[in-house]
Amino acid sequence: MEIARSSSCVPRRLCNNILLAKLLQSLNPQQREVITLRYDLIDQTPLTLVKVGEHLNVSRE
């Protein structure tokens, strides 16, 4: 996936949010949920990998 950078995209935080949204859309739903929960892109409370696994009912393997 190629994402063009634009010098007209200001402020930088907005550019980063747009880029992140595009990258997340390239993932399958479960991958997207893991990233969202792990780095908590919603309410700024990241979960540990163990907690993410518990939330999704998956093991580390």
Side-chain angles (χ1 to χ4, degrees):
M1 171 182 16
E2 184 177 327
I3 300 173
R5 290 185 173 208
S6 170
S7 60
S8 65
C9 190
V10 178
R12 183 173 294 257
R13 186 175 185 96
L14 176 61
C15 288
N16 290 341
N17 289 345
I18 292 168
L19 177 59
L20 179 60
K22 288 181 180 182
L23 291 171
L24 286 172
Q25 288 302 314
S26 72
L27 302 174
N28 70 45
Q30 186 174 21
Q31 292 170 328
R32 190 169 33 252
E33 188 169 8
V34 168
I35 297 297
T36 301
L37 292 170
R38 178 67 176 111
Y39 298 102
D40 199 19
L41 304 176
I42 297 171
D43 67 8
Q44 305 303 312
T45 308
L47 299 180
T48 64
L49 288 176
V50 171
K51 294 292 184 186
V52 171
E54 290 171 0
H55 180 80
L56 297 174
N57 295 318
V58 296
S59 66
R60 297 178 85 167
E61 291 89 39

